[in-house]
Amino acid sequence: MIETGSPAAQTIGILGAGRVGTALARLALAAGYEVRMATSRAPSEIELLLKIITPGAVAATAEEVALGSDIVVLALPLFRYRTLRPDLLAGKVVVDVMNYWSPTDGRLEEFEGEEASSEVIQRFLPDARLVRSFNHMGYHEIEGEARAAGALDRRALAIAADDSIAHQAVADFIDRLGYDPVDAGPLRAARNFGAGTPIFGASLARDELVGLLGAASESAT
Ligand SMILES: NC(=O)c1ccc[n+]([C@@H]2O[C@H](COP(=O)([O-])OP(=O)(O)OC[C@H]3O[C@@H](n4cnc5c(N)ncnc54)[C@H](OP(=O)(O)O)[C@@H]3O)[C@@H](O)[C@H]2O)c1
């Protein structure tokens, strides 16, 4: 469990072993993290898949992922969010990478309003320390665009969170994976880098991202 002054995260848990989950898993493994992954299937059903596409990642149950990881990444389709267990994620640092896309998720009224989808997820997981990030880049870019700290072409990723300790833990994770973390503000500010914004899908350096987030929060006030 991450608390002030505790050592950095060592184990990353990923719920979802699809396009985003496996790309993040490979990058985290390459950065030296231990990685546990779960889907809605039994671990034995994904062991071979993980061995081939994310060698080194351990197949686990959702319960093992939640309880045994310092940071848990939600990389499942958004329409399946109600299958998450709020009790297991209570107190955990949880990164929400899920986007609402009605052609694949179906129309979900709770995500049709002005709120960021992560605000809805936070209500469903009231005791999770929810952080929004990674959602504004494509799965196919996750590994190829990672760069060492200080590289001139290092891409920046926005982070929105209400919990400052969780925010810092995820900022450290992002930096270690190869991206510049940029504070976008509280969870509700995740709207500023959601689908349809200039940030969504754009490969931006830190200064560019800071500028666009600043402009978005000014126009929202
Ligand atoms: N694709 C992108 O470029 C991209 C970029 C940013 C964000 N996102 C968002 O990231 C999320 C995942 O996208 P994706 O493209 O990686 O999806 P995907 O390829 O369809 O993979 C989804 C994974 O989630 C698993 N899953 C389903 N229900 C689950 C549950 N209850 N617990 C744990 N795992 C579960 C699925 O396995 P089983 O069905 O076998 O359980 C599958 O392994 C989506 O919300 C998407 O909007 C996607």
Side-chain angles (χ1 to χ4, degrees):
M1 173 90 61
I2 290 173
E3 289 300 342
T4 314
S6 66
Q10 295 302 331
T11 305
I12 305 302
I14 305 178
L15 296 177
R19 289 166 290 193
V20 173
T22 56
L24 280 176
R26 285 189 295 269
L27 195 54
L29 286 161
Y33 291 100
E34 288 175 33
V35 175
R36 295 171 191 205
M37 303 184 77
T39 65
S40 61
R41 298 159 201 265
S44 59
E45 287 188 51
I46 60 166
E47 256 168 23
L48 181 60
L49 174 85
L50 297 193
K51 204 170 171 180
I52 295 166
I53 60 173
T54 58
V58 175
T61 62
E63 184 162 11
E64 289 164 344
V65 163
L67 299 179
S69 306
D70 300 308
I71 294 176
V72 179
V73 179
L74 304 180
L76 58 151
L78 186 68
F79 74 88
R80 303 224 48 202
Y81 81 94
R82 287 185 180 278
T83 63
L84 295 168
R85 291 257 312 268
D87 57 328
L88 293 180
L89 296 169
K92 303 298 296 190
V93 175
V94 175
V95 188
D96 175 15
V97 312
M98 301 181 293
N99 287 312
Y100 176 49
W101 176 239
S102 59
T104 53
D105 288 312
R107 186 178 166 90
L108 300 171
E109 286 309 322
E110 65 271 43
F111 297 106
E112 289 286 337
E114 291 298 306
E115 278 187 314
S117 60
S118 288
E119 293 179 274
V120 177
I121 300 300
Q122 179 72 84
R123 274 200 298 281
F124 184 71
L125 304 172
D127 300 318
R129 304 163 95 172
L130 202 72
V131 179
R132 176 69 156 168
S133 196
F134 290 106
N135 66 297
H136 62 90
M137 78 186 307
Y139 76 95
H140 53 289
E141 302 166 324
I142 288 173
E143 294 167 274
E145 296 217 356
R147 298 286 185 275
L152 291 177
D153 60 346
R154 204 182 204 216
R155 185 169 172 172
L157 291 181
I159 304 179
D162 294 336
D163 180 313
S164 59
I165 293 172
H167 178 286
Q168 189 56 53
V170 176
D172 293 345
F173 174 52
I174 287 173
D175 183 44
R176 194 163 143 192
L177 288 192
Y179 294 92
D180 281 338
V182 171
D183 182 8
L187 212 48
R188 69 172 178 278
R191 285 175 287 193
N192 296 337
F193 55 95
T197 67
I199 292 169
F200 197 81
S203 187
L204 301 166
R206 181 203 298 267
D207 289 351
E208 295 170 311
L209 180 54
V210 167
L212 284 172
L213 286 169
S217 61
E218 262 173 41
S219 68
T221 52

